[in-house]
């Protein structure tokens, strides 16, 4: 494989890559605008894969570059909270180059295999390898980050979100292009799935209150404002009690301190838990002085802990080698200490219903859905990425998993609306 850099910086390659990336990202921005149409999302998804499979490695490189930019630019919004505005363009470039390299590798290897193994190479041969690469993309997690799912394009469409349904779509496109007959696209009908998800915002008649707070990152970690945060949290709980709710769920780290080391606050929560079950996010310090991001499940005067399983790369746990990670934390993150993750997800029972615990980032990972839990409670703090499309992409991923596994998801959020997601069927 020869790499001539000049051939990649042509107007056609860059424009074609950008156009394909727009097709593959439009569903996010339509959802962000509150626009949902199953015909439109189905068409956009099929067109994205059609043009991507038809393109060569140069266009794949730019498609990966711009897809990453359009899907994940929000990651660098968090830099402003560390006074690292200078790092934003560097972060954008790094994120985009990672996916550009992934896409280029899939296309380049596919084209090389087609040329090496087939006496008379045809674009259809390379397309088959590229399709296999697309199916495998959701299993490639740079630095442990696994929010890129090709199947996600169909979350609001008439096409299912299972891997085999994406395989049918790709096969239909390849046959149409290889045999040069558009009727092969009718095979997409075999990937049809009537199931969809419905998002419910604050139901006043529900026994469960999914609390929604609006506390910025700066306010949350300002010691002078902690008394005000505590007052706000207890006001929400007391209102839920007066409204005869059975359960109240509050967002991730709504208490930005080690709650188990604050006996007065904990005792007040335990006392109220005799009237209402309280599920609340806060930090937890165990007997070995290990820091954990935790959910406190407080009911009937007692509490249990559900610790986070998958930590945010760099934000909560540095994925780099230890000696490099310590230096990065010291220089860029004010010497922050990494959290420690639990080995497996925690399930707990509230009022006879069993729930899977999930904290923000990890709720968008396949690992948390092992065993197909019927109910999940998610607590999040989206303040790090406001304003951006991150809350929308997060909700789409939760809808994706709800639709894929049939899990009903209850999501309490800081800095974006709280909601429940229900899937019609798997």
């Amino acid at each position: 494989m020869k790499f001539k850099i000049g051939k990649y910086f042509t107007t056609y390659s860059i424009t074609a890559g950008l156009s394909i990336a727009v097709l593959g990202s439009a569903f996010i921005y339509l959802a962000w605008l509150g626009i949902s149409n199953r015909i439109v999302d189905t068409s956009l998804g099929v067109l994205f894969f059609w043009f991507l499979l038809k393109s060569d490695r140069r266009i794949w490189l730019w498609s990966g570059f711009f897809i990453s930019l359009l899907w994940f630019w929000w990651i660098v919004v968090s830099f402003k909270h560390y006074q690292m505005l200078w790092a934003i363009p560097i972060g954008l470039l790094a994120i985009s180059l990672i996916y550009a390299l992934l896409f280029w590798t899939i296309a380049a290897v596919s084209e090389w295999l087609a040329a090496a193994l087939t006496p008379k190479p045809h674009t259809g041969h390379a397309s088959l390898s590229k399709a296999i690469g697309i199916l495998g993309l959701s299993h490639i997690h740079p630095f442990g980050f696994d929010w890129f799912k090709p199947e996600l394009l169909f979350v609001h469409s008439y096409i299912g979100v299972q891997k085999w349904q994406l395989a049918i779509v790709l096969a239909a496109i390849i046959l149409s292009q290889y045999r040069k007959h558009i009727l092969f696209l009718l095979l997409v009908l075999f990937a049809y799935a009537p199931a969809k998800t419905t998002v419910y915002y604050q139901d006043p008649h529900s026994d469960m209150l999914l609390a929604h707070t609006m506390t910025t990152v700066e306010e949350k970690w300002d010691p002078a404002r902690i008394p005000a945060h505590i007052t706000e949290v207890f006001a929400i709980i007391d209102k839920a009690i007066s409204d005869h709710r059975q359960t109240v769920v509050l967002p991730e780290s709504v208490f930005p301190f080690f709650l188990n080391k604050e006996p007065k606050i904990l005792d007040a929560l335990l006392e109220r838990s005799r009237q209402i079950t309280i599920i609340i996010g806060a930090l937890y310090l165990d007997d070995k002085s290990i820091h954990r991001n935790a959910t406190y499940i407080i009911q009937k005067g007692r509490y249990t802990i559900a610790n986070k399983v998958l930590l945010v790369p760099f934000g909560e746990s540095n994925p780099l080698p230890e000696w490099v990670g310590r230096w990065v934390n010291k220089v860029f993150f004010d010497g922050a200490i990494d959290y420690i993750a639990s080995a497996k997800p925690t399930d707990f029972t509230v009022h006879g219903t069993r729930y899977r615990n999930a904290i923000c980032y990890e709720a968008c990972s396949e690992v948390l859905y092992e065993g197909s839990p019927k109910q999940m409670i998610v607590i999040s703090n989206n303040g790090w990425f406001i304003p951006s499309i991150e809350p929308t992409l997060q909700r789409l991923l939760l809808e994706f998993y709800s639709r894929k596994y049939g899990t009903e998801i209850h999501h309490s959020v800081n800095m974006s609306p709280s909601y429940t997601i229900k899937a019609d069927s798997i």
Side-chain angles (χ1 to χ4, degrees):
M1 292 184 287
K2 294 182 179 179
F3 187 91
K4 294 183 179 179
I5 193 168
K7 290 186 176 181
Y8 288 81
F9 286 88
T10 65
T11 301
Y12 175 75
S13 296
I14 296 172
T15 303
L18 176 59
S19 300
I20 290 171
V22 169
L23 288 172
S25 309
F27 76 104
I28 301 173
Y29 292 88
L30 289 174
W32 177 70
L33 292 170
I35 300 171
S36 180
N37 185 288
R38 300 184 81 179
I39 295 175
V40 171
D41 278 25
T42 302
S43 302
L44 288 170
V46 171
L47 285 172
F48 167 76
F49 290 114
W50 174 280
F51 287 111
L52 187 63
L53 287 171
K54 200 172 183 179
S55 301
D56 62 22
R57 71 184 74 172
R58 293 170 296 177
I59 296 174
W60 270 66
L61 182 142
W62 287 109
S63 296
F65 183 92
F66 287 118
I67 283 173
S68 176
L69 197 62
L70 290 169
W71 280 47
F72 303 130
W73 61 268
W74 51 266
I75 292 174
V76 300
V77 172
S78 63
F79 290 179
K80 69 179 183 179
H81 301 295
Y82 293 100
Q83 290 75 52
M84 292 169 54
L85 296 179
W86 58 268
I88 288 178
I90 299 172
L92 287 173
L93 183 61
I95 293 165
S96 300
L97 287 177
I98 288 171
Y99 281 91
L101 180 60
L102 281 176
F103 273 64
W104 178 87
T105 300
I106 290 171
V109 170
S110 297
E111 291 169 9
W112 177 82
L113 286 173
L117 303 178
T118 311
K120 293 181 180 180
H122 188 283
T123 54
H125 303 149
S127 294
L128 180 59
S129 296
K130 290 173 182 174
I132 294 172
I134 289 171
L135 291 171
L137 266 173
S138 59
H139 300 290
I140 301 174
H141 309 149
F143 298 109
F145 181 77
D146 62 345
W147 280 30
F148 184 74
K149 308 278 183 186
E151 307 97 299
L152 189 61
L153 274 74
F154 295 120
V155 69
H156 284 172
S157 76
Y158 286 112
I159 293 172
V161 296
Q162 303 289 347
K163 189 74 71 175
W164 64 267
Q165 290 164 320
L166 175 59
I168 287 176
V169 173
L170 298 176
I173 292 171
I174 291 170
L175 283 171
S176 297
Q177 294 177 350
Y178 184 71
R179 294 296 184 180
K180 299 186 184 303
H181 206 304
I182 199 71
L183 286 179
F184 281 104
L185 270 184
L186 292 176
L187 292 172
V188 169
L189 295 175
F190 289 99
Y192 168 74
K196 61 183 180 67
T197 54
T198 304
V199 180
Y200 299 89
Y201 295 93
Q202 296 301 346
D203 181 359
H205 305 294
S206 173
D207 290 333
M208 178 185 291
L209 171 64
L210 299 173
H212 159 60
T213 57
M214 291 293 291
T215 307
T216 66
V217 171
E218 287 73 22
E219 290 173 338
K220 181 177 289 293
W221 298 101
D222 181 358
R225 295 189 63 87
I226 287 180
H229 298 327
I230 295 171
T231 299
E232 179 187 8
V233 168
F234 278 100
I236 292 171
I237 295 171
D238 290 341
K239 178 68 163 58
I241 292 173
S242 67
D243 289 342
H244 306 291
R245 306 271 191 165
Q246 290 186 343
T247 306
V248 58
V249 185
L250 293 111
E252 175 190 16
S253 63
V254 73
F255 285 145
F257 47 75
F258 299 111
L259 180 56
N260 61 314
K261 299 300 180 181
E262 298 291 339
K264 289 185 179 180
I265 299 173
L266 191 54
D267 286 345
L269 291 170
L270 291 170
E271 181 61 32
R272 284 168 171 78
S273 75
R274 301 183 189 280
Q275 302 177 72
I276 189 171
T277 296
I278 303 166
I279 299 171
I280 189 168
L283 303 183
Y284 178 73
L285 187 67
D286 68 13
D287 294 336
K288 297 180 180 179
S289 297
I290 292 177
H291 297 203
R292 297 186 188 274
N293 188 349
T295 301
Y296 287 70
I297 301 98
I298 311 172
Q299 52 185 334
K300 298 179 181 178
R302 304 177 66 181
Y303 76 92
T304 56
I305 297 294
N307 293 313
K308 197 170 186 179
V309 176
L310 298 175
L311 301 176
V312 179
F314 297 103
E316 294 179 320
S317 179
N318 202 306
L320 299 173
E322 186 176 352
W323 66 274
V324 181
R326 286 198 303 268
W327 178 83
V328 170
N329 285 349
K330 180 179 180 180
V331 174
F332 297 104
F333 299 109
D334 299 325
I337 298 174
D338 286 350
Y339 293 123
I340 302 298
S342 282
K344 60 181 181 180
T346 300
D347 291 343
F348 59 89
T349 301
V350 173
H351 301 298
T353 300
R354 194 163 182 80
Y355 296 94
R356 172 70 49 86
N357 176 70
I359 301 176
C360 197
Y361 168 79
E362 64 181 357
C364 298
S365 172
E366 204 95 29
V367 173
L368 265 289
Y369 297 85
E370 291 178 358
S372 300
K374 295 301 180 184
Q375 300 278 341
M376 177 180 287
I377 288 179
V378 184
I379 57 174
S380 293
N381 175 20
N382 287 338
W384 293 98
F385 307 107
I386 297 297
S388 77
I389 61 164
E390 185 271 344
T392 301
L393 180 57
Q394 181 189 44
R395 192 192 75 232
L396 291 172
L397 283 161
L398 294 182
E399 289 187 68
F400 166 80
Y401 285 117
S402 178
R403 189 174 170 187
K404 185 174 182 178
Y405 293 101
T407 304
E408 184 173 313
I409 300 173
H410 310 275
H411 192 193
S412 175
V413 196
N414 178 52
M415 291 300 289
S416 59
S418 300
Y419 50 82
T420 291
I421 297 173
K422 296 181 181 180
D424 292 344
S425 62
I426 300 179

